[in-house]
Amino acid sequence: YRRAVDLAQDDASYRFRLAQAYTGHGQNADALSAYYADISLSPGVTEYYAARADLFVLLSRQSKAIEDLTQAIELAPGNHDYYTELGEIYYEQENYKEATEALTEATNLNPEYAKGLYFLGRAKLALDDIDAAKVAFEACVKVEGDYQRRCQEELDMLATATP
């Protein structure tokens, strides 16, 4: 790694790959240092903020992850993934209002993004907005992918819980 770090001193894209390798090997402090250097060298690259946000989540530093995702959104406001990640963090913090706002934006940007629809439905459920939750889960069920089954399970649960 030392040789790679030496080669990466002034090359943010190379250093970014190095940071990802550090993360993959559990060397989180080194990864974090590399991400800070990436952003210092190329402050307009949204992927660097998003990747560092993922590492902050891994390190249970959600407030820092929120800061980085907010910066990524400012640089790339049309990226539904960033809004979804932000919404997930708010959801995990039980900040359902903020989660709903971020996830609504994500699903407005990509109405067929099942992950965003699933978490939007969950956030709406947490706010006792059953009708809106059903709408999100129903839209999610129509989309092929990993969240289709989860959304159907939520709809089945709602069907048995409400008269």
Side-chain angles (χ1 to χ4, degrees), residues 5-155:
V5 169
D6 292 341
L7 291 171
Q9 289 302 317
D10 295 319
D11 184 345
S13 64
Y14 187 79
R15 194 167 192 90
F16 178 67
R17 291 189 301 276
L18 181 63
Q20 291 175 314
Y22 280 142
T23 302
H25 287 92
Q27 294 175 286
N28 297 330
D30 291 328
L32 197 54
S33 293
Y35 285 131
Y36 274 104
D38 291 340
I39 290 169
S40 175
L41 291 169
S42 300
V45 180
T46 59
E47 290 85 4
Y48 299 165
Y49 292 98
R52 189 172 68 179
D54 289 342
L55 181 56
F56 280 136
V57 168
L58 182 67
L59 297 172
S60 298
R61 295 174 62 186
Q62 279 70 13
S63 63
K64 290 297 224 176
I66 289 169
E67 288 175 21
D68 275 356
L69 287 169
T70 300
Q71 182 64 38
I73 288 167
E74 287 178 18
L75 293 168
N79 188 312
H80 67 274
D81 285 319
Y82 300 156
Y83 283 102
T84 302
E85 288 182 47
L86 184 61
E88 281 184 79
I89 293 169
Y90 284 134
Y91 179 82
E92 294 300 324
Q93 292 180 328
E94 299 180 5
N95 186 345
Y96 302 121
K97 183 179 180 296
E98 295 289 331
T100 297
E101 290 173 11
L103 293 161
T104 297
E105 186 61 33
T107 57
N108 285 342
L109 290 168
N110 186 349
E112 295 184 355
Y113 189 52
K115 183 177 181 180
L117 291 165
Y118 171 76
F119 279 101
L120 178 60
R122 296 287 307 205
K124 291 290 187 177
L125 270 180
L127 293 171
D128 290 325
D129 191 347
I130 305 302
D131 291 335
K134 284 181 183 178
V135 169
F137 292 137
E138 287 167 355
C140 175
V141 167
K142 294 176 186 175
V143 179
E144 292 291 325
D146 296 338
Y147 286 87
Q148 191 176 39
R149 178 186 52 79
R150 291 181 185 184
C151 290
Q152 186 59 57
E153 289 171 356
E154 294 290 342
L155 285 171

